[in-house]
Amino acid sequence: MKITKSKRAVPEADRAKMVAKPGFGKYYTDHMVVAEWTEEKGWSEPELKPYGPVSLDPAAMVFHYGQEIFEGMKAYRQPDGSITLFRPEANAKRFANSARRLALPELPEETFIETIEALVKQDSAWVPGKIGESLYIRPFMFATEVGLGVRPTNRALYMLIATPAGAYFKPEDAVTVWISTEYVRAAIGGTGEAKCGGNYAASLVAQKEAALKGCDQVVWIDAKERRWIEEMGGMNLYFVKGKGADATVFTPKLTGTLLPGITRDSILSVAADLGYKVEETMVSIDDWRDGVESGLITEIFACGTAAVVTPVGCAKSVMGTWPTGDGTPGPITMQIRNTLLGIQHGTIPDTHNWLKKVL
Ligand SMILES: *Cc1c(COP(=O)(O)O)cnc(C)c1O
């Protein structure tokens, strides 16, 4: 890998201030990684270089036909000061799957992980230290062939950037969700399983509708029968049936239209480790309403890399308003959240071998 160090890195005192109050996506580290692919030559040697703008021809295909994919993952500071990634091979695999679906070239999984390790090592001073804080890593790839013909690109750019991320979860912040019966996120045969920018672009109008209804997030239902619960915004959903040690923790089954979240997958194991029954199953709108009204469903939460676990306090839709319990974050939600965070930050044993030490 080629390494060109920045001559204009952020001065230490300024960086320390940014890392102490990182927010999310507000500051970017001093470096980035770029690799170019062409049909003729394949992948170039990746280069780590100073963070900065990219110059693209206005006719670059990504601007017109949206051929783009991305990933989201985090590096966590451990109690001994070392830095680890969480299940980076899972992100590498998913990135390759997304590339196949969007007719982009596959980046070898070793290259994906190698570039992430290089960037995190180089910019390790940007990794915050408190529980819930992390360095958020954003790999992405897009079509750069110049031309307006609609066809798979013969040229692409892979890039990697990183931003320090704060612990923005406040336990009292359970979200209210809008179950959208108007818009659809994904249909069978579509791009729902891929992490592509287009999915997000198509979701924004529904997000806007949710905000107009006084909600924080949109919940997606399936495209065909319009009754199965799929996801919340860019996060997967979990439900808790019952209370205490006998509770069952369940999540909508992966049908091909859900994005297979790595947090979702990790929670299947974490919840089982904690002694709960765990199920992947079909969850209908009626199950949600009847469940919270009868008290059978006691907790609901969403999960994803960025926020880890977010409690769902209330659901609204054209069919009515359904609070979850008393609307505050439930004990099992918080226990799962704290366990997963503990594993990621190295305060709880990593029995599944999920952590990969970088530095
Ligand atoms: C990224 C994403 C998720 C969560 O995936 P994680 O790997 O847990 O971060 C869930 N749903 C959608 C639509 C996503 O894009």
Side-chain angles (χ1 to χ4, degrees):
M1 205 164 127
K2 214 168 126 192
I3 296 196
T4 312
K5 287 194 188 166
S6 175
K7 294 194 181 73
R8 293 191 298 157
V10 175
E12 199 178 324
D14 296 342
R15 186 190 63 226
K17 270 188 219 147
M18 295 173 186
V19 173
K21 268 194 122 204
F24 185 73
K26 213 154 73 179
Y27 310 113
Y28 293 86
T29 67
D30 296 311
H31 298 85
M32 63 182 188
V33 176
V34 181
E36 195 184 32
W37 174 89
T38 64
E39 201 164 66
E40 248 169 73
K41 296 190 190 141
W43 285 105
S44 70
E45 185 186 356
E47 182 182 3
L48 184 145
K49 58 194 242 182
Y51 184 95
V54 274
S55 176
L56 291 174
D57 192 289
M61 284 178 167
V62 65
F63 294 135
H64 307 278
Y65 309 123
Q67 207 183 352
E68 189 266 355
I69 57 167
F70 65 96
E71 267 303 321
M73 53 199 294
K74 286 174 166 178
Y76 299 88
R77 183 81 64 186
Q78 305 294 294
D80 65 359
S82 67
I83 298 170
T84 59
L85 298 170
F86 183 74
R87 307 187 67 183
E89 337 67 48
N91 294 94
K93 277 208 180 68
R94 193 169 63 187
F95 196 56
N97 288 341
S98 299
R100 274 197 297 279
R101 180 61 183 84
L102 272 288
L104 282 163
E106 276 177 51
L107 183 73
E109 289 174 20
E110 321 77 78
T111 311
F112 180 90
I113 291 175
E114 179 202 0
T115 57
I116 287 165
E117 290 187 343
L119 184 64
V120 171
K121 269 188 193 146
Q122 180 61 47
D123 287 340
S124 62
W126 289 87
V127 183
K130 294 202 250 351
I131 282 264
E133 297 181 339
S134 59
L135 184 69
Y136 183 84
I137 300 161
R138 169 54 59 88
F140 58 111
M141 191 202 298
F142 51 91
T144 53
E145 182 184 343
V146 175
L148 298 183
V150 181
R151 60 177 178 275
T153 189
N154 64 19
R155 187 175 274 272
L157 212 56
Y158 162 70
M159 298 188 70
L160 182 61
I161 55 175
T163 176
Y168 57 74
F169 178 86
K170 289 187 239 98
E172 63 276 16
D173 285 355
V175 295
T176 297
V177 297
W178 176 253
I179 303 177
S180 176
T181 43
E182 183 170 5
Y183 299 105
V184 162
R185 191 192 84 91
I188 295 285
T191 55
E193 268 186 332
K195 235 172 154 59
C196 65
N199 287 347
Y200 277 71
S203 78
L204 299 175
V205 64
Q207 185 63 49
K208 235 164 122 174
E209 185 195 27
L212 276 175
K213 305 289 183 185
C215 297
D216 306 295
Q217 286 288 340
V218 58
V219 163
W220 304 104
I221 55 176
D222 81 289
K224 195 168 164 213
E225 295 184 55
R226 308 299 289 137
R227 61 183 280 237
W228 303 109
I229 301 293
E230 297 204 320
E231 301 191 54
M232 179 192 95
M235 301 173 82
N236 295 110
L237 278 169
Y238 266 93
F239 300 79
V240 179
K241 206 162 50 183
K243 287 184 184 164
D246 292 332
T248 300
V249 174
F250 63 102
T251 186
K253 194 160 126 177
L254 300 178
T255 55
T257 53
L258 279 72
L259 192 291
I262 294 160
T263 317
R264 173 190 179 282
D265 186 70
S266 305
I267 288 174
L268 289 174
S269 301
V270 166
D273 292 348
L274 291 170
Y276 300 113
K277 284 190 280 308
V278 178
E279 287 171 6
E280 295 176 86
T281 178
M282 301 298 284
V283 184
S284 69
I285 298 181
D286 291 348
D287 294 336
W288 186 321
R289 183 198 51 225
D290 297 348
V292 292
E293 281 179 0
S294 71
L296 183 68
I297 291 177
T298 49
E299 305 180 29
I300 304 175
F301 63 90
C303 64
T305 296
V308 189
V309 164
T310 300
V312 176
C314 184
K316 294 184 185 176
S317 71
V318 291
M319 298 151 288
T321 296
W322 313 324
T324 319
D326 65 1
T328 62
I332 295 176
T333 300
M334 295 310 288
Q335 183 192 24
I336 289 173
R337 174 179 182 274
N338 292 335
T339 306
L340 186 56
L341 270 174
I343 296 170
Q344 290 167 334
H345 284 275
T347 58
I348 291 178
D350 170 29
T351 54
H352 299 281
N353 232 334
W354 283 336
L355 301 186
K356 187 165 202 298
K357 188 172 171 179
V358 174
L359 193 70

